[in-house]
């Protein structure tokens, strides 16, 4: 019996093992422990190092994400180092010769994580010295986009102990770091001394500002790094919701830790033709330049006469030039051969006249366009023939296509709304007598005055200006052929009913500004996507917004130094910073029939804390939090309380 008992026991055990191998329970715990360092060669913090190869050993298999972008070595390496992960090791091989008596830091940022769950190790920096001591000072702060105070992620931030203004364009940065998702940087291994801090979006990897396309930040302020003992409060958690204790923890506080740099990109002044002229539509072609210039190109026709051949449409910057062909003979010509003379900068940045011979070809050949037209006519004739056979009304001549005007007119109008008409092609004639605006008073309609004119510097956009009265109905009516383009196409009749909201449907916002003495401040009203809805110039310290639809708004202000009504960037060679930008640090709720009055000290809140998080697009990196959220969700599904393995949250 005992023999059969053991056979039965072994059989059951084998069966159970076989079943276990068929699969594993779904939805287990995620390992949220980051990798730990077991040792390194040379040792971390070693002095007198001569080897250019660093090996770091971990307790588990690891992976290294985007090492070329995330791993920063100071002093900067002009020759790209070799950085790779192999199993449980990271190997860094420096190609530049080691400098004597220099502290080296290899800042891995958040590039290191375990291979299975992707637990990030956190901001880890490996340090060694070729001299007898390790420099331990740190310089920290934030980089913000000067135009909108967005944190700038991934930009280089570096130090110079040479305090001359020319150093940024002549010497590589001395020590560097890179900003994280909050725009935060920490430059480590800094020796005692006096420094300036710069930021550089290095396009060519030489750690020098030498291209206008590179985003930069600079300041004339100098810093002398220091440190002192300090205490911080750390929280010990029982679980995800309950605090167990708050304990003081001593640490070394490095200064400065609040450097704020405002990054901007200079206007591109190197002028050249970006690409060959485009002729997507047969009736026009477009030239694209890297930078505009008041002196426009000169075109000489080689297989056509350029006299009165074009109508020029230029954008505000004059870097995009569209030439409309006046004559349909030219429109029907597949290839336009021309000599183009235009201003271009040489390698020294000096303008000279460049002459190019080019052929501009229509994307759709004339023969194909004619074939499409014949097909259209045939289809129309077949349709008319069917109508004729059924005894219904039909046309004997195919009417031309109408001029399809885009009317930017709202049915629900605000008193300060500016209506515009956008023409699909340049106009040959505009009959303002065919435009009518009527106002409803009681039950009768009356003619209402208006102003209609071409928008300044806009070839195909027209403004329709009227005095829109609250709680009033209007009717905008336009006769046929009011607008005729250069190809003879005429507009159709148009009618739009308009109702202007009553004053009871609006809110008013008054901001009382202080903190900036400059009187040329412009304030912009923003929506939840950080888009400007309205802007006003500050008068007597006040910025007032009328006719606001109830809702949540935000505010941005900038110092309009040149008075052109728009934000302008900086210029390093002219020692010109970008125009100062400020955000009201909270959202503003506006309700119908209410007037909101608020004080705003533009400089009362540090710049790094001004922009509300709801409209900040660049969010902090949260890889570690994602993992904890997954484990917390798993615990919720199991009906138990999730206890974090890492009990201290700094």
């Amino acid at each position: 019996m005992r023999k059969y008992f053991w056979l039965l026991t072994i059989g059951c055990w084998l069966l159970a093992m076989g079943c276990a191998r068929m699969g594993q329970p779904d939805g287990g715990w995620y390992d949220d422990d980051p990798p730990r360092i077991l040792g390194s060669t040379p040792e971390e913090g070693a002095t007198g190092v001569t080897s250019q190869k660093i090996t770091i050993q971990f307790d588990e298999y690891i992976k290294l994400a985007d090492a070329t972008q995330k791993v920063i070595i100071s002093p900067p390496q002009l020759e790209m180092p070799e950085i790779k992960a192999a199993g449980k090791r990271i190997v860094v091989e420096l190609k530049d010769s080691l400098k004597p008596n220099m502290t080296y830091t290899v800042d891995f940022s958040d590039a290191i994580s375990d291979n299975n769950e992707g637990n990030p190790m956190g901001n880890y920096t490996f340090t060694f010295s070729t001299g007898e001591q390790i420099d331990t000072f740190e310089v920290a702060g934030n980089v913000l986009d000067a135009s909108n105070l967005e944190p700038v992620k991934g930009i280089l931030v570096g130090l110079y102990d040479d305090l001359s203004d020319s150093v940024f364009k002549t010497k590589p940065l001395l020590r560097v770091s890179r900003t994280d998702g909050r725009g935060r940087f920490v430059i480590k291994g800094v020796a005692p001394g006096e420094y300036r801090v710069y930021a550089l979006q290095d396009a060519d990897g030489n750690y020098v500002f030498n291209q206008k396309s590179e985003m930069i930040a600079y300041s004339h302020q100098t810093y002398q790094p220091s440190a002192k003992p300090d205490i911080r409060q750390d929280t010990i958690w029982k679980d995800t919701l309950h605090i167990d204790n708050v304990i003081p923890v001593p640490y070394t506080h490095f200064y400065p830790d609040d450097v704020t740099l405002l990054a901007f990109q200079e206007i591109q002044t190197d002028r050249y033709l970006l690409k060959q002229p485009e002729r997507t539509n047969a009736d026009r072609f477009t030239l694209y330049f890297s930078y505009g210039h008041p002196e426009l190109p000169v075109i000489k026709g080689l297989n056509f006469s350029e006299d009165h051949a074009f109508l020029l449409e230029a954008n505000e910057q004059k870097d995009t030039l569209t030439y409309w062909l006046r004559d349909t003979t030219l429109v029907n010509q597949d290839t336009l051969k021309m000599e183009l003379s235009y201003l271009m900068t040489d390698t020294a940045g000096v303008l000279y006249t460049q002459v190019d011979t080019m052929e501009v070809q229509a994307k759709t050949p004339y023969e194909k366009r004619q074939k499409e037209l014949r097909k259209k006519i045939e289809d129309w004739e077949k349709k008319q023939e069917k109508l004729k056979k059924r005894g219904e009304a039909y046309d004997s001549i195919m009417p031309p296509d109408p001029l399809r005007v885009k009317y930017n007119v709202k049915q629900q109008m605000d008193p300060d709304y500016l209506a515009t008409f956008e023409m699909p092609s340049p106009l040959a004639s505009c009959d303002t007598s065919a435009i009518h605006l009527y106002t409803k008073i009681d039950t009768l309609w009356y003619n209402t005055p208006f102003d209609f004119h071409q928008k300044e510097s806009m070839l195909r956009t027209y403004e329709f200006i009227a005095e829109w009265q609250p709680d009033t109905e209007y009717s905008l009516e336009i006769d046929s052929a009011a607008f005729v383009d250069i190809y003879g196409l005429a507009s159709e009749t148009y009618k739009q009913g308009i109702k202007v909201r009553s004053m009871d449907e609006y809110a008013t916002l008054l901001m009382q500004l202080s903190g900036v003495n400059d009187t040329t401040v412009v304030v912009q009203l923003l929506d939840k996507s950080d888009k400007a809805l309205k802007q006003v110039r500050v008068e007597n310290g006040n910025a007032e917004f009328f006719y606001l639809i109830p809702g949540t708004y935000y505010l941005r202000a900038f110092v309009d130094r040149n008075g052109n009504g728009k934000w302008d960037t900086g210029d390093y060679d002219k020692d010109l910073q970008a125009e100062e930008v400020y955000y009201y640090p909270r959202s503003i709720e506006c309700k119908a029939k209410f007037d909101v009055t608020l004080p705003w000290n533009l400089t009362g809140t540090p710049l790094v804390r001004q922009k509300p998080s709801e409209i900040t697009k660049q969010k902090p990196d949260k890889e570690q939090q994602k993992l904890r959220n997954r484990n917390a969700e798993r615990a919720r599904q199991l009906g138990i309380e999730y206890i974090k393995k890492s009990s201290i949250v700094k």
Side-chain angles (χ1 to χ4, degrees):
M1 288 293 293
R2 180 173 296 179
K3 176 181 177 181
Y4 291 114
F5 172 78
W6 283 111
L7 286 173
L8 181 61
T9 302
I10 292 171
C12 292
W13 180 78
L14 289 172
L15 180 62
M17 288 298 292
C19 292
R21 290 192 185 97
M22 292 174 64
Q24 60 182 1
D26 184 38
W29 293 102
Y30 296 97
D31 172 23
D32 57 8
D33 283 334
R36 291 188 302 110
I37 296 173
L38 299 180
S40 64
T41 305
E43 292 184 4
E44 188 170 349
T47 57
V49 174
T50 57
S51 173
Q52 293 176 243
K53 186 176 181 180
I54 303 163
T55 304
I56 307 172
Q57 190 74 34
F58 294 86
D59 65 337
E60 58 180 317
Y61 290 100
I62 54 95
K63 56 185 176 183
L64 193 62
D66 198 10
T68 56
Q69 292 297 318
K70 289 190 174 183
V71 181
I72 300 294
I73 299 175
S74 277
Q77 304 294 291
L78 296 181
E79 187 175 351
M80 185 67 67
E82 187 176 329
I83 307 170
K84 58 185 178 181
K88 298 182 180 181
R89 294 185 305 163
I90 287 179
V91 178
V92 179
E93 191 167 350
L94 305 180
K95 302 299 182 181
D96 287 1
S97 299
L98 296 179
K99 298 180 180 180
N101 300 313
M102 179 67 67
T103 295
Y104 278 77
T105 57
V106 183
D107 186 352
F108 289 94
S109 183
D110 60 350
I112 303 173
S113 60
D114 70 48
N115 192 59
N116 293 326
E117 300 295 348
N119 299 312
M121 186 175 175
N123 293 325
Y124 170 60
T125 302
F126 183 90
T127 306
F128 68 90
S129 176
T130 58
E132 297 180 354
Q133 65 181 22
I134 296 286
D135 295 320
T136 59
F137 285 142
E138 298 179 1
V139 175
N142 293 77
V143 180
L144 305 176
D145 189 321
S147 66
N148 56 17
L149 301 191
E150 280 282 322
V152 180
K153 179 180 179 179
I155 193 170
L156 282 176
V157 185
L159 303 178
Y160 284 114
D161 56 4
D162 182 341
L163 305 183
S164 64
D165 292 335
S166 62
V167 65
F168 195 28
K169 305 188 80 170
T170 57
K171 295 181 182 178
L173 292 160
L174 181 65
R175 302 200 69 82
V176 293
S177 177
R178 199 183 292 275
T179 55
D180 61 15
R182 300 173 299 160
R184 183 77 178 167
F185 68 88
V186 180
I187 305 173
K188 300 181 180 181
V190 182
E194 188 173 10
Y195 300 91
R196 279 186 180 178
V197 187
Y198 295 77
L200 173 66
Q201 204 170 55
D202 196 15
D204 49 11
N206 64 355
Y207 300 94
V208 172
F209 172 44
N210 61 347
Q211 298 185 37
K212 286 183 176 292
S213 60
E214 296 174 326
M215 178 177 271
I216 62 167
Y218 74 98
S219 170
H220 293 304
Q221 184 173 352
T222 61
Y223 300 91
Q224 295 181 353
S226 62
K228 71 173 185 179
D230 208 340
I231 300 291
R232 66 165 172 250
Q233 303 297 321
D234 276 7
T235 303
I236 300 177
W237 295 80
K238 287 182 180 180
D239 50 62
T240 52
L241 299 176
H242 303 92
I243 295 176
D244 182 51
N245 195 9
V246 178
I247 59 173
V249 177
Y251 75 105
T252 301
H253 196 150
F254 294 99
Y255 296 94
D257 64 350
D258 59 353
V259 178
T260 300
L261 295 174
L262 298 173
F264 61 87
Q265 189 173 344
E266 294 185 348
I267 293 176
Q268 174 62 264
T269 55
D270 293 334
R271 181 174 167 82
Y272 51 90
L273 196 61
L274 288 172
K275 55 185 176 180
Q276 288 295 309
E278 283 187 354
R279 194 181 171 192
T280 305
N281 298 91
D283 56 6
R284 79 205 82 151
F285 64 89
T286 304
L287 302 177
Y288 298 94
F289 289 92
S290 60
Y291 184 69
H293 194 277
E295 188 174 331
L296 299 174
V298 176
I299 296 176
K300 179 182 178 182
L302 300 180
N303 64 345
F304 66 96
S305 173
E306 71 277 6
D307 292 338
H308 306 290
F310 312 117
L311 271 178
L312 175 60
E313 180 179 11
N315 66 346
E316 185 179 0
Q317 294 77 24
K318 289 185 169 55
D319 56 12
T320 302
L321 308 175
T322 298
Y323 293 82
W324 290 84
L325 306 178
R326 292 175 180 267
D327 192 343
T328 54
T329 303
L330 287 183
V331 175
N332 295 335
Q333 190 169 322
D334 283 345
T335 303
L336 301 176
K337 296 180 180 180
M338 63 187 72
E339 183 182 89
L340 182 67
S341 302
Y342 60 94
L343 291 178
M344 178 175 171
T345 50
D346 59 19
T347 54
V350 178
L351 286 169
Y352 72 97
T353 301
Q354 172 73 20
V355 179
D356 291 333
T357 300
M358 53 187 61
E359 295 184 357
V360 183
Q361 293 184 333
K363 184 178 180 180
T364 306
Y366 175 72
E367 185 178 341
K368 184 176 180 179
R369 281 179 275 141
Q370 287 297 105
K371 184 177 180 180
E372 292 172 351
L373 178 60
R374 286 194 296 269
K375 176 68 166 57
K376 183 178 179 181
I377 293 173
E378 288 173 2
D379 291 342
W380 180 85
E381 288 176 343
K382 289 178 182 178
K383 182 179 178 181
Q384 300 307 309
E385 188 63 31
K386 289 180 180 179
L387 293 173
K388 182 179 179 181
K389 288 180 178 180
R390 293 200 298 262
E392 299 178 21
Y394 67 96
D395 295 321
S396 57
I397 300 176
M398 181 177 176
D401 289 333
L403 184 70
R404 303 189 186 282
V405 181
K406 182 181 179 181
Y407 297 100
N408 297 312
V409 181
K410 296 181 178 180
Q411 284 184 312
Q412 283 279 359
M413 187 82 79
D414 298 324
D416 57 352
Y417 181 76
L418 177 61
T420 59
F421 300 173
E422 296 179 28
M423 306 298 166
S425 48
L427 294 185
S429 65
C430 173
D431 183 5
T432 55
S433 65
I435 305 174
H436 315 279
L437 181 66
Y438 303 103
T439 304
K440 186 178 182 181
I441 302 176
D442 295 329
T443 58
L444 301 177
W445 293 90
Y446 296 88
N447 278 307
T448 301
F450 61 86
D451 179 50
F452 183 78
H453 59 262
Q454 188 176 9
K455 189 174 181 180
E456 185 178 359
S457 302
M458 302 288 283
L459 179 64
R460 296 180 294 116
T461 302
Y462 294 77
E463 294 179 334
F464 184 87
I465 301 173
E467 189 175 343
W468 308 108
Q469 296 293 332
D471 200 21
T472 304
E473 288 186 52
Y474 296 86
S475 179
L476 174 62
E477 300 176 14
I478 301 176
D479 301 335
S480 62
F483 312 114
V484 180
D485 76 353
I486 58 176
Y487 307 118
L489 299 182
S491 60
E492 298 178 298
T493 58
Y494 174 82
K495 184 175 182 179
Q496 174 69 64
I498 300 168
K499 176 69 169 68
V500 181
R501 296 179 176 90
S502 70
M503 290 300 294
D504 287 345
E505 298 181 63
Y506 294 109
T508 301
L509 174 62
L510 172 64
M511 302 301 297
Q512 299 171 330
L513 276 68
S514 62
V516 173
N517 294 326
D518 203 311
T519 57
T520 58
V521 176
V522 172
V523 180
Q524 296 176 320
L525 187 78
L526 311 174
D527 62 13
K528 293 181 179 179
S529 63
D530 201 25
K531 177 184 176 183
L533 303 174
K534 298 182 180 184
Q535 77 173 37
V536 298
R537 190 170 293 277
V538 173
E539 296 182 4
N540 300 319
N542 295 325
E544 195 161 13
F545 294 94
F546 299 97
Y547 311 121
L548 299 185
I549 302 299
T552 302
Y553 296 97
Y554 301 85
L555 290 172
R556 175 173 60 220
F558 65 91
V559 178
D560 188 19
R561 290 197 297 258
N562 58 7
N564 65 354
K566 62 181 182 179
W567 178 85
D568 289 293
T569 189
D571 189 309
Y572 183 77
D573 289 336
K574 297 178 181 178
D575 193 18
L576 183 66
Q577 294 281 356
E579 291 180 335
E580 297 90 339
V581 170
Y582 305 94
Y583 274 77
Y584 188 70
R586 294 177 296 279
S587 63
I588 299 173
E589 193 70 30
C590 292
K591 299 180 180 179
K593 297 193 293 187
F594 279 85
D595 295 341
V596 179
T597 302
L598 295 170
W600 183 9
N601 184 345
L602 297 178
T603 57
T605 302
L607 289 177
V608 293
R609 299 206 307 267
Q610 283 194 9
K611 190 166 188 178
S613 60
E614 309 94 90
I615 60 173
T616 300
K617 296 180 175 63
Q618 176 58 54
K619 302 298 183 183
D621 301 322
K622 295 183 179 180
E623 293 303 318
Q624 182 68 34
Q625 189 59 45
K626 287 180 183 178
L627 180 69
R628 288 180 174 173
N629 289 343
R630 284 158 56 192
N631 276 340
E633 175 61 20
R634 178 59 182 156
R636 188 191 65 78
Q637 293 173 357
L638 296 174
I640 61 176
E641 195 168 41
Y642 169 53
I643 309 296
K644 290 183 286 187
K645 294 180 182 179
S646 178
S647 60
I648 297 181
V649 180
K650 297 179 182 180

